[in-house]
Amino acid sequence: IDNSCKFEADNSEYLSRTPGSAGNRKTWTFSCWLKRTELTSDSNSAGNQHMIFSAGDTYMQFDGNAIWINHRAASENFFLATNRLFRDTSAWLHLVWQCDTTQGTASNRAKLYVNGIQETSLQSSTYDNMSQNYDTAMNNTVEHEVGKYSLHDTTYANPFCGYMAEIHLVDGTALDATSFGEFDDDSGIWKPKAYTGSYGTNGFYLDFADAADLGDDESGNGNDYTETNLAAADQATD
């Protein structure tokens, strides 16, 4: 991976796109590499949240330095939170969020992978709160945002602080981490590999290779994201 994008919360920096038509809201995969530059306290409360990606009331964030995935709605309130706390600002993490609400077993409808391994040690989970065939906000015609919570303005947006790289959204397919990475044969370290599958209607791939157009979608779909307060200087190599 040659490039990443640096997000600074104090500058309200984020990327956004609102799909013109809905894709598959039941089945999808989100993948990204990231490295944090600022932490919060370990309390999962307001003000201790850094948003990674959001689509309406469906979002992934650091909350009290744990990783949370949420689908919040009046009728459904699903969340999953890791026991592990992620406080290492020198380390890159690979996160994969797999969603498939068509699954008959509730615990198979949402999975989180960190560096190639599914997170099963959870401080909290409400799998039964996501009904079978539930339509999430992902791939719906609502604003999708990288680095901010799309349902709040910039004052209460829980913005992300750090670097992100190699961001994929795959619309219509539930994938595990091996579609995006692999363990090195010699070191055993989880490392990236090229994704070779399709992306579906609202899927995208951000590689941040063009400093003049950091929201450029390289999936072939042309689902470009709009930069807000990001500039060429926010392209990074690390």
Side-chain angles (χ1 to χ4, degrees), residues 93-235:
L93 293 174
H94 180 225
L95 307 182
V96 173
W97 179 6
Q98 179 199 99
C99 180
D100 185 0
T101 68
T102 68
Q103 294 292 318
T105 301
S107 59
N108 288 334
R109 294 172 195 159
K111 297 178 181 179
L112 172 66
Y113 298 84
V114 179
N115 292 339
I117 299 173
Q118 184 182 351
E119 288 288 314
T120 56
S121 177
L122 306 172
Q123 60 173 286
S124 185
S125 64
T126 56
Y127 285 112
D128 291 336
N129 285 4
M130 183 190 292
S131 58
Q132 189 174 14
N133 296 313
Y134 172 62
D135 281 321
T136 70
M138 195 77 81
N139 296 315
N140 197 12
T141 53
V142 297
E143 190 166 15
H144 292 46
E145 293 184 344
V146 177
K148 189 172 81 69
Y149 186 24
S150 61
L151 290 185
H152 285 300
D153 62 23
T154 54
T155 305
Y156 302 101
N158 306 332
F160 179 73
C161 294
Y163 299 87
M164 291 196 206
E166 199 78 359
I167 301 177
H168 301 265
L169 176 64
V170 178
D171 178 353
T173 309
L175 302 169
D176 63 24
T178 59
S179 291
F180 309 96
E182 60 191 358
F183 289 103
D184 185 85
D185 289 338
D186 296 322
S187 67
I189 293 173
W190 182 253
K191 64 181 183 181
K193 73 176 185 182
Y195 172 66
T196 58
S198 59
Y199 284 87
T201 302
N202 288 316
F204 66 88
Y205 167 40
L206 303 182
D207 65 357
F208 305 115
D210 185 351
D213 188 6
L214 292 170
D216 184 37
D217 171 26
E218 290 294 317
S219 72
N221 283 345
N223 293 330
D224 295 345
Y225 273 59
T226 300
E227 303 93 346
T228 296
N229 299 324
L230 288 165
D234 292 305
Q235 184 196 58

Side-chain angles (χ1 to χ4, degrees), residues 52-105:
I52 300 167
F53 187 74
S54 64
D57 54 18
T58 298
Y59 54 91
M60 171 189 277
Q61 66 178 355
F62 288 101
D63 190 336
N65 295 316
I67 298 173
W68 288 59
I69 55 177
N70 293 66
H71 304 287
R72 284 180 89 88
S75 59
E76 310 273 345
N77 187 5
F78 163 81
F79 60 90
L80 178 157
T82 64
N83 267 318
R84 286 205 289 167
L85 304 181
F86 298 87
R87 305 192 195 95
D88 189 349
T89 55
S90 67
W92 280 92
L93 293 174
H94 180 225
L95 307 182
V96 173
W97 179 6
Q98 179 199 99
C99 180
D100 185 0
T101 68
T102 68
Q103 294 292 318
T105 301

